[in-house]
Amino acid sequence: MRSILHQTLDRTGTDSVKWDGLERWFRLKSDVLPLWVADIDIRTAPAISEALAARAATGEFGYTLFSREAQRAVSSWYGRRHETEVDPNHVLFSNGVVPGLTQIVEALTETGDGVVIQSPVYPPFHELVTGLGRELFDAPLEQVDGRFEMDFVALEESMRQAKLFLLCSPHNPVGRVWTEEELQRVIELAKRHDVIVVADEIHADLTFPTQRHVALNRLDSNVITVSAPSKAFNIAGLFASYIICPDDVWRKRIIQVQNKHHVLPTPFANTAIVAAYTDPRAERWLDQLRAELEEQADYLVGRIQESLPRLTCFRPEASYLLWVDFAALGLTPDERKKWLQQDVRLFLSPGPPFGISGQTFERINFGTRRAILDEAIERLVRQIGETTQPEGNAFV
């Protein structure tokens, strides 16, 4: 079967944030390789493209409601893929996962209320909480035997002071797929301290074939879930996301906030959700992509361990993001940013915005062709060799 991930696709000149954004936003030249923002260098599933083309051919693009068909599609998907029952009437449209999380926090908390996160975590988690005037409580993940684990002592201490917990599952950037036992402990703590749990599961459908994602709303029907087909099917630009909120009172409050902000889907958002979640061809395509991404993760981790032993990487269990520790190079975040962009000619996602524990880290997006990753590794190997002192323990 033809590879999904390793087809040649030139995205330059398409107003791509990932590729064209380097010059427009950061004034960087085209020889800098972009391995940063979280989308993949692939075309979406053909079944989705066909459905969007058919919708475009109707020529009708007026204001659009979130379709009943899309709600039923989400319900069906969670039943088939995640073994959990979702009432279609509990599914709300959201114009992106980050906007959805923001709408929930605005609706269900007040200024000054505490919101818990687990750093290092996707930067908008930090930004939306503080931007809404809520108090941020961090229960940082800890490194245990070469992988990241939840610190349940810190989590409980944070929950004692908070009203809501934002869980990233699977976790961005460390790549963990939380076990059922870990998630059960989260739920127990939240119930003990009367904390609302909101699960961002946008990377769930890219869990690798050797792993098992547990949908949190399967373990507790009171959980609010925010997700989308955008990462799994590489359609982030369609802003086709949704919120699953079983609680009637909470859902009404979220709708009130959404109405204030005029949240409505485009016709193409409805179409994309239905095609992604109901067309068997799209589902087969996704399963192939998941297998290819796991193979790619193994390849990249192996290359780094072999060719760049001074860097420490944490093998992901889902998606296409690799969390890499550059601490051994002895560079400050600003020095590392300058070195990567000007000397190595790589653009990665810098670690500090993910939290204080990300100071020495960079996030690498490996959702691209193997040749691009090989070039990135070779550039790193060359520059580390050229700029390191003979004893190999500091940068000149």
Side-chain angles (χ1 to χ4, degrees):
M1 186 178 294
R2 187 182 184 190
S3 171
I4 296 171
L5 190 57
H6 300 301
Q7 297 179 31
T8 299
L9 176 63
D10 184 1
R11 299 181 65 195
T12 58
T14 65
D15 294 317
S16 161
V17 167
K18 183 178 181 182
W19 289 83
D20 299 322
L22 294 191
E23 180 180 358
R24 189 177 306 180
W25 288 352
F26 305 105
R27 302 293 185 264
L28 296 174
K29 295 182 179 179
S30 60
D31 66 329
V32 176
L33 291 180
L35 301 178
W36 62 303
V37 68
D39 67 12
I40 330 177
D41 293 328
I42 61 171
R43 296 176 178 85
T44 191
I48 296 176
S49 295
E50 293 169 12
L52 292 171
R55 183 64 183 84
T58 68
E60 190 278 301
F61 311 115
Y63 291 123
T64 305
L65 298 171
F66 192 36
S67 72
R68 299 296 187 195
E69 188 180 9
Q71 291 176 303
R72 290 193 294 270
V74 172
S75 173
S76 173
W77 185 260
Y78 267 77
R80 296 197 319 277
R81 303 286 294 198
H82 301 299
E83 302 174 339
T84 185
E85 185 176 341
V86 170
D87 185 333
N89 295 312
H90 295 168
V91 183
L92 305 176
F93 174 78
S94 178
N95 54 327
V97 163
V98 172
L101 296 172
T102 305
Q103 293 150 17
I104 292 166
V105 173
E106 181 177 348
L108 303 184
T109 64
E110 303 291 339
T111 301
D113 282 343
V115 177
V116 181
I117 63 171
Q118 295 171 302
S119 67
V121 72
Y122 185 45
F125 275 41
H126 306 255
E127 297 159 2
L128 74 88
V129 172
T130 58
L132 289 170
R134 277 53 170 174
E135 186 173 359
L136 186 69
F137 289 94
D138 190 4
L141 303 177
E142 53 184 359
Q143 294 183 36
V144 180
D145 296 330
R147 75 173 192 166
F148 283 87
E149 305 281 358
M150 293 191 192
D151 182 340
F152 287 100
V153 173
L155 183 58
E156 180 164 23
E157 180 58 30
S158 294
M159 282 189 176
R160 293 182 198 275
Q161 310 168 75
K163 186 172 183 179
L164 187 145
F165 171 42
L166 294 177
L167 172 70
C168 194
S169 178
H171 194 278
N172 172 12
V174 308
R176 275 298 315 279
V177 173
W178 306 117
T179 65
E180 185 166 341
E181 290 74 21
E182 288 169 316
L183 296 175
Q184 287 283 15
R185 291 186 68 181
V186 167
I187 290 169
E188 290 168 5
L189 289 178
K191 288 181 177 179
R192 185 181 307 165
H193 299 290
D194 196 24
V195 171
I196 300 168
V197 179
V198 181
D200 169 4
E201 297 190 353
I202 194 172
H203 293 277
D205 291 315
L206 288 179
T207 298
F208 296 159
T210 57
Q211 303 295 323
R212 175 176 174 259
H213 169 74
V214 178
L216 198 59
N217 56 1
R218 185 169 71 81
L219 304 181
D220 183 353
S221 60
N222 289 320
V223 166
I224 301 173
T225 302
V226 185
S227 194
S230 56
K231 300 303 180 189
F233 294 95
N234 206 42
I235 52 174
L238 295 178
F239 296 96
S241 305
Y242 52 85
I243 297 167
I244 303 173
C245 181
D247 187 280
D248 293 339
V249 174
W250 292 351
R251 195 167 60 254
K252 289 176 181 176
R253 290 167 62 180
I254 294 168
I255 291 172
Q256 289 174 346
V257 169
Q258 291 186 326
N259 289 341
K260 182 176 71 173
H261 294 294
H262 305 285
V263 176
L264 286 173
T266 68
F268 298 104
N270 280 329
T271 299
I273 290 172
V274 172
Y277 286 172
T278 65
D279 192 313
R281 296 175 299 162
E283 199 161 349
R284 290 193 296 269
W285 179 95
L286 175 60
D287 287 335
Q288 180 184 338
L289 177 62
R290 291 168 56 233
E292 290 188 20
L293 286 173
E294 182 165 28
E295 180 184 5
Q296 184 96 312
D298 289 340
Y299 175 80
L300 182 57
V301 169
R303 283 293 315 271
I304 290 174
Q305 290 174 340
E306 178 183 356
S307 303
L308 297 162
R310 297 178 67 198
L311 306 185
T312 302
C313 57
F314 297 82
R315 185 192 182 279
E317 298 169 341
S319 201
Y320 45 82
L321 304 171
L322 185 67
W323 193 232
V324 181
D325 192 352
F326 285 71
L329 303 189
L331 300 171
T332 67
D334 286 342
E335 290 170 340
R336 190 173 68 248
K337 175 182 176 181
K338 181 179 179 181
W339 172 71
L340 283 167
Q341 294 179 16
Q342 296 185 8
D343 297 333
V344 186
R345 311 302 287 168
L346 287 182
F347 196 90
L348 309 179
S349 295
F354 292 82
I356 189 65
S357 61
Q359 293 299 304
T360 62
F361 283 80
E362 300 283 331
R363 191 189 72 178
I364 298 177
N365 177 347
F366 60 84
T368 191
R369 299 193 311 279
R370 185 72 54 83
I372 292 176
L373 292 184
D374 286 337
E375 174 62 23
I377 294 296
E378 292 306 316
R379 290 184 186 190
L380 283 166
V381 169
R382 185 164 55 248
Q383 287 299 322
I384 288 176
E386 290 177 359
T387 57
T388 306
Q389 293 178 356
E391 62 270 22
N393 60 4
F395 272 73
V396 297

